[in-house]
Amino acid sequence: MAFTIQFVREFTRLGLNRSVGGVLALAFSRELSPVVTSIVVAGRIGSAFAAELGTMQVSEQTDTLRVLGADPVDYLVTPRVIASCIALPFLTLMCFTVGLASSALLADGVYGISINIILDSAHRALKSWDLISAMIKSQVFGAIISIVSCAWGVTTIGGAKGVGESTTSAVVISLVGIFIADFALSYCFFQGAGDSLKNCV
């Protein structure tokens, strides 16, 4: 909604009301939804992974698993990585839907741009690849968050202080990894001149 406030008023002055929905849909699907969702997940889930595994490491629970003949990576890390890669695309899709709907309601209520116009513009601008790329991005981000957080967790040393340091480092490095991966994937997915908005003007 904040994003909508920033540019809808400018588009309205230029008479580009019919392009608003397309710009919203492209911004949400290509960048905002996967990145914002991943940031939230990194803060919530990544920190939980690092703290939980770090506590298990300093309390020697992972050593107990090794004594019992179980591989801590297979037992503790792999399920978390798979779950993150599966869950994040669904959360991204939910973020896209809620974000586009709330922005359409705001544009209609404050700036008088009909919801039908916004949805029609979004439908014209969006291509299947835009949503597929968002799903691919979110899966990559999920893998980054879970792998980095679990790696910091299982290598924790130094008791409670070490758990705190591992948790902080896991979140910070996950966020940096998300931004770097986002740039790399966007550069690969969207090269050349785009024509997604030509049908919305």
Side-chain angles (χ1 to χ4, degrees):
M1 294 172 75
F3 180 73
T4 304
I5 291 173
Q6 294 298 327
F7 83 88
V8 169
R9 56 195 298 271
E10 306 298 335
F11 273 48
T12 304
R13 289 180 182 176
L14 295 174
L16 297 174
N17 292 1
R18 292 192 172 274
S19 299
V20 169
V23 173
L24 279 174
L26 292 177
F28 278 124
S29 63
R30 292 182 178 181
E31 292 297 328
L32 291 179
S33 293
V35 173
V36 171
T37 303
S38 300
I39 290 173
V40 174
V41 170
R44 173 64 183 88
I45 304 300
S47 61
F49 285 174
E52 184 178 358
L53 295 180
T55 303
M56 296 180 70
Q57 177 69 18
V58 298
S59 62
E60 300 181 351
Q61 295 179 46
T62 53
D63 295 332
T64 305
L65 286 174
R66 292 187 181 94
V67 170
L68 294 173
D71 186 352
V73 173
D74 292 341
Y75 191 76
L76 299 173
V77 176
T78 304
R80 286 172 168 81
V81 174
I82 294 174
S84 297
C85 293
I86 293 175
L88 214 44
F90 291 102
L91 293 173
T92 298
L93 193 59
M94 187 183 304
C95 177
F96 171 76
T97 304
V98 173
L100 188 61
S102 59
S103 296
L105 290 173
L106 177 67
D108 183 37
V110 177
Y111 299 101
I113 303 175
S114 171
I115 293 178
N116 291 331
I117 292 177
I118 291 177
L119 294 180
D120 180 65
S121 174
H123 182 263
R124 290 172 181 269
L126 270 183
K127 298 177 181 176
S128 58
W129 174 244
D130 294 319
L131 294 177
I132 293 172
S133 66
M135 299 299 102
I136 295 173
K137 277 187 175 185
S138 58
Q139 282 191 319
V140 173
F141 297 160
I144 291 173
I145 293 168
S146 54
I147 291 172
V148 169
S149 300
C150 291
W152 275 98
V154 298
T155 56
T156 299
I157 56 174
K161 182 182 178 182
V163 173
E165 292 174 350
S166 292
T167 303
T168 303
S169 299
V171 173
V172 172
I173 294 177
S174 293
L175 293 178
V176 173
I178 287 169
F179 295 140
I180 293 174
D182 180 53
F183 171 77
L185 291 172
S186 295
Y187 184 79
C188 293
F189 290 162
F190 306 108
Q191 289 186 354
D195 59 354
S196 297
L197 290 176
K198 68 179 182 181
N199 295 325
C200 304
V201 179

